[in-house]
Amino acid sequence: MDLTLNLNSRLQPMHRHDLEDALQEILEKGKLGEVTGGGTLQRQTGEIVSCDIEIHLNDDKQDSVNRLVELMNIIGIPKGSALLCTVPEIKIEVGTLEGLAFYVNGTDLPDEIYESCDINHVIEQMESAMNGIGRFYSYWEGNEWTALYFYGVSFVEMKQKIEPFIASYPLCQKSRIEQIA
């Protein structure tokens, strides 16, 4: 049985490959099947909208599909994702994680802030603040904004944990936060 995992994840292809590898390992260990491909959907700006991972299950038993869903939720899939099949027609909602996109303003701050601040420091500090409830998954660099994508157990908690850092670090001025899963 061939399935598509439509991920409500903003993952660059290299980060989607990491998830594909984790899923492949789980499928092999359980003798359930294999990952056969994947793709990324982008907006005209280049920002990622969602990803797909193609999966071949060794059989078409409902138990195998149910086991796959269990395993995906264990490895961490964002809410709003779905496991899809055309024959037979299947759509199973999957995902337990919530998503937070942090958009760093890349044009409206003084030049000295961009020269003296480091986006990697922002990632490290936010991930540290989210300790145990969320982590950094991917990013996108546009002409006016750089987006950092975090997924975890609670959007509200992740946002609360990073707010003190945002208020104190110059590069985070004029930024915005969106819930993405």
Side-chain angles (χ1 to χ4, degrees), residues 54-107:
E54 304 296 328
I55 300 166
H56 174 77
L57 282 184
N58 291 335
D59 61 52
D60 59 359
K61 295 177 184 165
Q62 189 61 44
D63 285 349
S64 297
V65 174
N66 294 344
R67 182 72 181 132
L68 177 61
V69 170
E70 285 175 31
L71 294 170
M72 286 188 296
N73 286 329
I74 290 169
I75 63 171
I77 303 292
K79 291 178 178 177
S81 299
L83 190 60
L84 310 167
C85 183
T86 52
V87 179
E89 190 170 322
I90 296 173
K91 180 178 182 182
I92 302 169
E93 298 289 325
V94 294
T96 58
L97 300 179
E98 295 187 359
L100 180 148
F102 182 78
Y103 289 89
V104 177
N105 189 309
T107 57

Side-chain angles (χ1 to χ4, degrees), residues 106-143:
T107 57
D108 297 329
L109 303 178
D111 289 342
E112 52 271 9
I113 290 177
Y114 296 117
E115 292 165 7
S116 65
C117 294
D118 184 0
I119 193 75
N120 293 310
H121 180 70
V122 173
I123 295 167
E124 290 166 9
Q125 293 302 305
M126 288 185 172
E127 200 166 39
S128 177
M130 291 180 193
N131 185 23
I133 59 164
R135 69 178 184 86
F136 175 73
Y137 274 67
S138 195
Y139 65 91
W140 166 73
E141 293 178 88
N143 293 330

Side-chain angles (χ1 to χ4, degrees), residues 32-46:
L32 288 172
E34 65 182 340
V35 171
T36 58
T40 303
L41 178 64
Q42 296 176 291
R43 292 186 170 93
Q44 283 188 317
T45 61

Side-chain angles (χ1 to χ4, degrees), residues 158-171:
M158 290 188 292
K159 185 175 183 258
Q160 288 172 344
K161 296 285 188 182
I162 64 174
E163 284 174 340
F165 173 73
I166 292 168
S168 69
Y169 196 64
L171 188 59

